[in-house]
Amino acid sequence: MQRQFYILFILFGLAGCSGSNFPDTIKNSVTDKQTNIPGTRLYVTVPEGYSIAGGYMGLRKSTAVLQVYDNTDGNFFTSTPLYNREKFEREGAQVTDYKDVTVDGYKGKYIFMKNSNNTSVYTLVFGDSTFCTTVLGVYPDDDEQEGKELKSIIESIAYDVHHKVSPFSRAAFTIDDTVSTFKFAKLTGSAFIFSPGGKDVKFNDDLPYVIVSSSAYRAGIPLSSLADTTFKTIEEEHAMTAKDVKNAADTTVNNYIAYEREVYGIANGKLTLLYELALAKDKTMVIFTGHSKSDFATNLSEFRNLAQTIEIK
């Protein structure tokens, strides 16, 4: 989460009008007038003209951006030493407002910073030992109206720690596991794991499984070249030897450009099949890898059944 914040810090710069008069305490209840930010446990009141953003968790309107990082496995107390006035000022930012706050009973920190890049940034981070949520409001510092709107959105925050977040709400793709014996089992980091019947899978046993993830894609570079780098990394993680690549081909899946291949080799002393598929749309590449140590023909068919349902958002 900290790394994501610094990326935005660099991209947007920090500037703007006053961020003062921010409340010491934010205490709101979830009502039917509030909107859940998909993929998070955060609710806000959305002003006219703002819509749910595509490609990240948050809202956008014209040049105004509200971005949310809801780390439900994080720890506010170990994450927030990075959020202090002295650190930001040493790095060249002008912090015009900084204080400890409370958000729905959780400890938090509020920061408003400015620089010479004609952009203003609100930052609110809050949580406890079980989660850490960061909210960024970014807008051009000459747009006072957008600044007021973002501030009002942040002040309207309600956080429902009991809200169940669908793991796929954060995915760059959809997938339908009803067509395959491989069912969704769990989300590990940014990797979606599927196994027979959704059973818990341990990667060193003999149960077949599928891993689906996504990454950035750059048009103009052959998909096979980009995918090959990822596939080789996967094969190295398996310590696969005596590799034999079969049926490697450029293809299409659901009208997306795609590249697939089968790799047979020895992993942990057993003959292993990796079915590797990459497909791309716009700036997104989805990587699908099926892992099998037995019954190759059946599992390969099931891998393909599942892979053919992928839709990139």
Side-chain angles (χ1 to χ4, degrees), residues 32-311:
D32 57 5
K33 294 182 179 180
Q34 289 181 300
T35 299
N36 173 244
I37 301 297
T40 79
R41 303 188 293 199
L42 194 82
Y43 291 76
V44 295
T45 302
V46 182
E48 184 178 354
Y50 284 78
S51 60
I52 298 296
Y56 62 88
M57 290 175 281
L59 304 171
R60 72 174 305 125
K61 171 196 171 186
S62 184
T63 51
V65 172
L66 184 88
Q67 193 154 9
V68 181
Y69 298 104
D70 190 16
N71 186 353
T72 55
D73 293 321
N75 185 321
F76 169 82
F77 302 107
T78 57
S79 297
T80 51
L82 293 171
Y83 293 82
N84 65 77
R85 178 192 292 270
E86 293 75 17
K87 179 178 178 60
F88 289 128
E89 290 182 341
R90 284 198 305 269
E91 294 172 349
Q94 182 181 351
V95 179
T96 63
D97 200 10
Y98 174 92
K99 61 181 175 179
D100 294 327
V101 297
T102 301
V103 181
D104 282 352
Y106 300 105
K107 291 185 178 295
K109 293 180 181 291
Y110 165 75
I111 309 167
F112 184 86
M113 296 178 280
K114 62 181 182 178
N115 204 315
S116 59
N117 293 344
N118 303 319
T119 308
S120 298
V121 178
Y122 294 102
T123 301
L124 177 68
V125 56
F126 64 93
D128 60 15
S129 61
T130 65
F131 79 95
C132 187
T133 299
T134 300
V135 182
L136 300 174
V138 185
Y139 67 98
D141 64 2
D142 61 356
D143 196 325
E144 184 176 348
Q145 181 61 31
E146 286 189 346
K148 290 180 178 178
E149 291 167 349
L150 285 171
K151 183 169 178 284
S152 73
I153 294 172
I154 294 172
E155 291 175 351
S156 77
I157 285 173
Y159 192 82
D160 183 1
V161 72
H162 301 295
H163 176 71
K164 299 297 183 183
V165 177
S166 168
F168 287 96
S169 64
R170 306 184 182 194
F173 57 89
T174 62
I175 189 168
D176 180 7
D177 65 4
T178 63
V179 304
S180 172
T181 58
F182 287 87
K183 309 298 182 183
F184 176 67
K186 60 184 176 181
L187 174 64
T188 301
S190 59
F192 294 80
I193 314 300
F194 298 78
S195 65
K199 295 179 181 177
D200 186 29
V201 59
K202 296 178 175 58
F203 301 135
N204 60 350
D205 64 20
D206 292 341
L207 192 71
Y209 59 93
V210 169
I211 297 179
V212 187
S213 62
S214 61
S215 62
Y217 170 68
R218 287 198 303 163
I221 299 177
L223 179 59
S224 58
S225 297
L226 289 174
D228 186 64
T229 299
T230 301
F231 293 159
K232 285 181 178 177
T233 300
I234 294 170
E235 292 156 15
E236 288 171 359
E237 289 173 351
H238 283 268
M240 184 175 277
T241 59
K243 291 188 295 184
D244 181 15
V245 179
K246 295 183 177 180
N247 300 319
D250 293 305
T251 184
T252 59
V253 172
N254 289 337
N255 295 318
Y256 305 126
I257 59 171
Y259 174 73
E260 68 175 350
R261 68 188 191 185
E262 302 157 31
V263 179
Y264 297 84
I266 303 300
N268 294 321
K270 292 190 175 182
L271 182 61
T272 299
L273 159 67
L274 297 182
Y275 169 68
E276 301 171 331
L277 171 72
L279 53 160
K281 172 189 174 185
D282 298 331
K283 297 181 180 180
T284 300
M285 178 172 65
V286 174
I287 297 293
F288 179 108
T289 311
H291 307 68
S292 175
K293 294 180 180 177
S294 64
D295 203 1
F296 295 156
T298 298
N299 286 326
L300 182 59
S301 177
E302 292 295 334
F303 293 155
R304 288 196 168 115
N305 287 343
L306 183 60
Q308 292 291 323
T309 70
I310 291 174
E311 298 278 354

